[in-house]
């Protein structure tokens, strides 16, 4: 008969779980940078290869934010306008995404109310009549990566800042 004690695995707290995620590279933190462009102030330019979003400012400057972009096979480019803005948006995954994820064993909801667990995060800026949007994320460690189904992801605090700086009708260039 064994008299040894049972070793229990310590319970991991939410902060410890978050600490286990990779830290965000400081290059993806928001900052004002020199930016030479012919585009008008107020234009958003998303540089997909560098994983940055630029909000063009006056005097050859831009506000630069790190973003997550479309994974291989989901990249796109084009020019649109912001057609709608939403705070804590609900998420309605497209039928194609639901089917694609089901094959992988992931069951997505038909609809998820807005909130901290919602993949769209704190804010969403809808692009034209497409299914694409610039939105927050509940996975901030993915900023700087090609991981989405085509949407442009930002940290919640960054998309909240951008949301206050742009309006419906803002020109968005994805390259």
């Amino acid at each position: 008969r064994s008299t040894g004690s049972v070793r229990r695995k310590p319970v991991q707290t939410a902060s410890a779980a978050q600490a286990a995620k990779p830290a965000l590279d400081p290059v993806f933190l928001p900052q004002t940078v020199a930016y030479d462009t012919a585009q008008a102030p107020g234009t958003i330019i998303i540089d997909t290869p560098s994983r940055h979003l630029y909000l063009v400012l006056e005097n050859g400057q831009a506000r630069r934010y790190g973003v997550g972009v479309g994974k291989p096979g989901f990249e796109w480019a084009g020019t649109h306008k912001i057609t709608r803005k939403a705070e804590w948006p609900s998420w309605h995954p497209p039928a194609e995404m639901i089917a694609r994820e089901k094959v992988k064993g992931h069951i997505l909801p038909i609809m998820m109310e807005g909130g901290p667990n919602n993949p769209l995060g704190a804010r969403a800026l809808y692009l034209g009549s497409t299914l694409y949007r610039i939105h927050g994320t509940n996975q901030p460690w993915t900023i700087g990566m090609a991981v989405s189904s085509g949407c442009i992801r930002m940290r919640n605090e960054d998309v909240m800042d951008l949301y206050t700086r742009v309006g419906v009708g803002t020109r968005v260039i994805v390259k």
Side-chain angles (χ1 to χ4, degrees):
R1 179 170 174 204
S2 172
T3 58
S5 62
V6 176
R7 299 197 83 182
R8 297 195 186 275
K9 188 175 181 180
V11 174
Q12 191 174 40
T13 64
S15 59
Q18 185 63 29
K21 302 294 182 196
L24 185 65
D25 184 326
V27 74
F28 296 116
L29 294 175
Q31 57 185 295
T32 300
V33 297
Y35 192 71
D36 185 26
T37 182
Q39 298 301 325
T43 303
I44 293 173
I45 301 172
I46 298 165
D47 183 344
T48 303
S50 76
R51 316 283 201 268
H52 284 108
L53 179 152
Y54 295 87
L55 174 60
V56 179
L57 305 173
E58 302 279 344
N59 303 317
Q61 294 193 308
R63 184 81 176 147
R64 185 180 79 186
Y65 304 86
V67 295
V69 299
K71 59 190 166 196
F74 291 86
E75 309 97 334
W76 63 280
T79 301
H80 292 285
K81 289 189 186 277
I82 295 173
T83 51
R84 185 164 81 90
K85 294 171 56 174
E87 296 185 15
W88 295 105
S90 58
W91 180 47
H92 303 265
E96 307 81 35
M97 180 185 286
I98 291 172
R100 189 172 61 245
E101 291 300 314
K102 187 175 183 180
V103 169
K104 298 181 208 172
H106 304 138
I107 305 303
L108 296 181
I110 299 297
M111 191 277 286
M112 179 184 278
E113 288 295 334
N117 295 320
N118 186 308
L120 296 185
R123 303 288 183 272
L125 305 168
Y126 295 78
L127 302 177
S129 60
T130 73
L131 294 175
Y132 300 123
R133 51 193 82 87
I134 299 166
H135 63 77
T137 183
N138 60 353
Q139 299 176 328
W141 57 90
T142 63
I143 300 307
M145 299 178 178
V147 292
S148 79
S149 293
C151 285
I152 307 302
R153 293 181 182 185
M154 301 177 75
R155 295 184 319 153
N156 281 332
E157 54 266 53
D158 297 344
V159 77
M160 290 169 73
D161 178 63
L162 180 66
Y163 188 95
T164 66
R165 296 172 184 260
V166 299
V168 169
T170 296
R171 187 168 191 228
V172 178
I173 302 167
V174 179
K175 56 183 188 166

